[in-house]
Amino acid sequence: MNSKNYHQKKRFGQHWLVNKKILEKIKEIAVLNENDFILEIGPGKGALTAKLLDSKIKKLHAVELDNDLINLLNDKFNNNDKFSLQHGDILSVNLDSINKKITKVIANIPYNITGPILDIFIGRLGIIRNCNYEKIIFLMQKDVVDRILSKEGSPNAGALSIRMQLLSKIKKICDVPPSSFSPPPKVFSSLVVFEPINDNLRLDISLEKYIDKLLRISFNSRRKMLRNTLNSILSNEEMNELSESSKVCFKLRPQDISINQWIKLAENCIKIKK
Ligand SMILES: C[S@@+](CC[C@H](N)C(=O)[O-])C[C@H]1O[C@@H](n2cnc3c(N)ncnc32)[C@H](O)[C@@H]1O
């Protein structure tokens, strides 16, 4: 298979990044150095790969699902000893042998698997990641980035924004129009940088798990007041006690609760349930 007779596959979320300024911007915000070990998710035909390899880095390991692109990529980067390629699904490939070495994860991600990619690379509450990513740079759907960045009081605030903000520092760099890709996707994209909080600086793992539990229960019915969802795990007496000790009014809906209030709620709930 060569570049000319290759047919793009919708099912793999293939939209090649063709905007040179955005390619350059990704390289610029990655601030690469000779110690960097990059994991690239879905190199496609290698536009971003080539840009990243054209920097002082130690290594770039790419994982591509589409078998038809493997030869094409190997031909293109064969003589670059910093490059390695793994054929497989990023959601299930085994990265154990390199995970601890990876310093930066970079991708124009396939939008059909955004959620699972965020879970794997930024993480889930209550689960230690056990890796040392300094930066995760994703080009992803603008609406998901806006949701992730939303604060309490916004209709977009949800379990996703709280989980992501508890696990990483997040910075949106810019929005990217559909015309920057070939073929253009239906939606706008955004370039975003996540700096995951180091495992040993995270909240206590059992506290994180409890926050997750509260988020699931309350955001399952996001229109309901806290008192009408948390009553599934707390008696009326316990709810009054929790509301008072956490200084959170139980007439509020979950999207109106700040991150610090979720932490307080979980801490005090654990105490009450002891
Ligand atoms: C949006 S394209 C980006 C391609 C290229 N990096 C670029 O910027 O032009 C997404 C890429 O991810 C690949 N891909 C899709 N699902 C994947 C998966 N589960 N694991 C690894 N790669 C995947 C696609 O085949 C495609 O090459």
Side-chain angles (χ1 to χ4, degrees):
M1 178 82 49
N2 62 34
S3 201
K4 275 191 187 140
N5 57 20
Y6 176 80
H7 293 291
Q8 261 161 298
K9 302 178 184 74
K10 238 184 172 177
R11 67 180 187 283
F12 290 155
Q14 293 179 342
H15 297 277
W16 309 145
L17 179 59
V18 291
N19 182 329
K20 292 202 170 79
K21 281 191 186 149
I22 299 294
L23 283 163
E24 193 57 48
K25 186 113 207 139
I26 296 176
K27 177 174 161 180
E28 183 190 313
I29 58 175
V31 196
L32 300 169
N33 64 61
E34 57 279 3
N35 295 320
D36 273 324
F37 190 122
I38 300 173
L39 171 70
E40 188 189 358
I41 305 168
K45 282 168 128 185
L48 182 55
T49 321
K51 196 79 214 131
L52 299 171
L53 281 168
D54 182 26
S55 331
K56 275 189 191 149
I57 56 165
K58 192 184 232 171
K59 181 103 190 148
L60 184 151
H61 183 77
V63 177
E64 174 56 61
L65 178 62
D66 185 354
N67 196 29
D68 292 342
L69 290 168
I70 298 297
N71 286 345
L72 193 148
L73 284 162
N74 273 330
D75 286 349
K76 199 164 178 179
F77 300 113
N78 209 5
N79 49 11
N80 192 324
D81 56 7
K82 292 187 220 157
F83 176 74
S84 59
L85 180 62
Q86 185 172 4
H87 175 221
D89 181 344
I90 194 65
L91 304 182
S92 56
V93 285
N94 187 340
L95 297 173
D96 286 354
S97 62
I98 56 164
N99 223 353
K100 282 239 163 95
K101 297 184 202 159
I102 296 169
T103 56
K104 289 169 185 163
V105 181
I106 303 183
N108 166 17
I109 64 177
Y111 292 172
N112 49 332
I113 52 168
T114 302
I117 286 184
L118 292 177
D119 280 347
I120 291 178
F121 290 96
I122 290 136
R124 280 184 166 280
L125 294 179
I127 295 173
I128 288 289
R129 282 178 306 115
N130 222 0
C131 44
N132 312 306
Y133 311 144
E134 284 166 30
K135 270 188 188 180
I136 298 174
I137 301 176
F138 284 160
L139 191 50
M140 54 190 272
Q141 300 97 309
K142 175 182 183 309
D143 68 315
V144 183
V145 174
D146 291 345
R147 252 195 297 141
I148 286 174
L149 284 168
S150 52
K151 298 281 184 210
E152 70 274 12
S154 146
N156 277 336
L160 179 71
S161 53
I162 293 153
R163 276 174 40 223
M164 292 294 123
Q165 289 173 35
L166 272 171
L167 294 173
S168 59
K169 278 202 226 157
I170 311 165
K171 189 170 174 202
K172 175 153 124 173
I173 305 298
C174 60
D175 291 330
V176 180
S179 58
S180 295
F181 303 86
S182 169
K186 289 205 175 84
V187 295
F188 259 72
S189 306
S190 298
L191 184 58
V192 62
V193 180
F194 298 89
E195 287 179 17
I197 292 167
N198 198 294
D199 279 345
N200 47 31
L201 295 178
R202 278 170 61 174
L203 296 174
D204 182 82
I205 216 70
S206 56
L207 179 60
E208 275 193 2
K209 269 193 191 144
Y210 215 92
I211 296 172
D212 205 35
K213 177 174 166 171
L214 297 182
L215 293 177
R216 279 171 208 274
I217 296 170
S218 41
F219 278 105
N220 237 344
S221 316
R222 56 182 295 130
R223 281 162 193 266
K224 287 192 183 169
M225 295 182 235
L226 284 193
R227 70 168 176 214
N228 295 330
T229 50
L230 295 186
N231 60 0
S232 62
I233 53 163
L234 296 162
S235 67
N236 281 340
E237 234 172 44
E238 286 173 329
M239 280 201 285
N240 288 340
E241 192 184 335
L242 181 59
S243 172
E244 208 161 286
S245 58
S246 312
K247 301 197 172 27
V248 175
C249 170
F250 271 41
K251 284 186 183 164
L252 290 174
R253 292 174 172 78
Q255 60 272 30
D256 297 320
I257 311 289
S258 71
I259 294 204
N260 284 337
Q261 286 176 313
W262 284 113
I263 298 173
K264 273 266 160 299
L265 280 172
E267 277 171 349
N268 290 324
C269 208
I270 292 170
K271 278 187 206 153
I272 288 172
K273 286 289 183 188
K274 256 190 187 156

